[in-house]
Amino acid sequence: MNHAKEIINRKQKYKYLLILDGTIVGVLSGAITILYRLAIDRAERYSEWIRNLASSGIGYVVLWFAILMALSMIVNYLLKWEPMISGSGIPQVEAEISGYLKSNWLKTLSAKFAGGVLCLFAGLSLGREGPSIQMGAMSGKALSFKLHRNRSEEKYLMTCGASAGLAAAFNAPLAGIMFALEEVHKNFSAYVLAPVMIASIVADFLSKYIFGLDPVFHFTIENSIPLKYYWMIIIFGVLVGLLGVGYNKTLFWIKDRFAKVQNTKYRLIPVFLLAGVLGYFLPQVVGSGHDMINLVLDGNAALKWILLLLAAKFLFSIISFSSGAPGGIFFPLLVIGAYVGAAYGHIMIAQFGIDPQYFVNFMIIAMAGYFAAIVRAPITGIILITEMTGSFNHLLAIATVAIVSYITAELLRSTPVYEGLLDRIVSRVPGETTCMTDDKIIVQNIVEANSPIANKRIYEIDWPEDVLLISLKRGTKEILPRGHVKIMEGDTLEALVMEERLAKYHEFIRGICEADLSKG
């Protein structure tokens, strides 16, 4: 009981503590992400040098494939030593914030850093954003551990770290903020907003100090697509949405095939060897794919060549990620989206006489639409692509494609990629949760329009055991949550929850606070 009183009293100091802590997390996460970017950039350059060397003789080829096998074994060892580093790491962060898992921050951070660098050195088609987000979250957890913060504050600091990691990885602070709130934390509470913004901005400042102010992609955009061509953009949005649904279905299918492999000791070897083969015969598709975009920017590449690279990158990226190797999917899927846009733009120019100056525009809007359909975070996708390209001239076209592709994926009931990955992680967790402690956490949730509890009084709701409703906020006004108080749409509920019941509480609160679309 004393512990609960301490948490409630400490709640009043949350905002100020979290702003200070968020600044520190921004520095830590930014520094880790910068080191990771430097390491993987060096790794990809060395990998390219070795592949070029291997082309000069069969002996070098044999040596390189032997190195790839050794690397696969090292990465497999890291995965056994710390299973939390598998894949992008974003679903693991979401699972921990939701109360399903509890990780060792030092093991996760160190193993993820090493594993991600080794995978990109080998040429696997993986991105840097997933590891940056997970390592950023672990830096937040590390600070919470060192400063003896409670579990509630730890969750906020992990969200700050995730935001800062994405911001530093892509020079995209606004996207980092939005992704952390929209996808990771899934809540826009007042407590988390300010520290997340500060952490993201601090990390972005450090990143730009090292890497410069230029955006990640250097697109030359002459003009925005005229409004008379927006019928093409709407059709394109539907097409991109369908392709995004196909991406998720293919990824989940291949990932399930990998999960059935009994002998995990050698599971990564074929993937690493495939990277070696592609590096020899089709080197454009290995690695994260940044240079791959530059191949088609001038619009002179043949359509057949675009489609070949698109298909190869699509399959190799999904295989690389589905194997469980440490690495993200953001960057590869953005590259795939750019090639979808290049193919569509090529057809529009050839068949409908569209001015070739709009070729790059189709690449950009396709990246946002593909992201929105796969991740199902359209706002993050719109902001991310705008920041990564450094231009707001195409914002209307980006938003149109992102929303249309998002709606298309929703209508087809496609499972968002991180939600599907999270479900697979949660299904493997024994019992209700691994977080069996006596700690208590303050949780905030917003009552959405048409939610089941809107316009109901507190006593009319069957609250779970060991849950204490401690506050109800309506705008800037805080209301004591007595039984007769009526809950209104837009209210923010604050509850004190046992940590061991956090996962179950999240399931309960989502059911009663989220909008019921069947209600008129």
Side-chain angles (χ1 to χ4, degrees), residues 40-73:
I40 61 177
D41 286 346
R42 186 67 60 88
E44 289 192 300
R45 285 200 299 271
Y46 283 154
S47 177
E48 183 179 2
W49 177 78
I50 291 175
R51 289 196 301 271
N52 292 334
L53 183 64
S55 63
S56 62
I58 187 65
Y60 290 114
V61 174
V62 174
L63 177 60
W64 176 232
F65 275 83
I67 292 174
L68 288 174
M69 291 186 66
L71 290 174
S72 72
M73 300 297 284

Side-chain angles (χ1 to χ4, degrees), residues 36 43 51 65 72 166 169 198 209 222 245 251 328 334 381 416 418 488 504 518:
Y36 186 67
R51 289 196 301 271
F65 275 83
S72 72
L166 181 57
I198 291 172
Y209 184 81
E222 298 181 10
V245 171
L251 186 146
L334 292 179
Y418 292 123
M488 308 297 290
K504 282 292 183 183
S518 65

Side-chain angles (χ1 to χ4, degrees), residues 491-505:
D491 287 351
T492 298
L493 305 179
E494 286 189 344
L496 191 66
V497 184
M498 295 286 292
E499 184 180 4
E500 65 181 46
R501 296 184 180 274
L502 181 60
K504 282 292 183 183
Y505 176 76

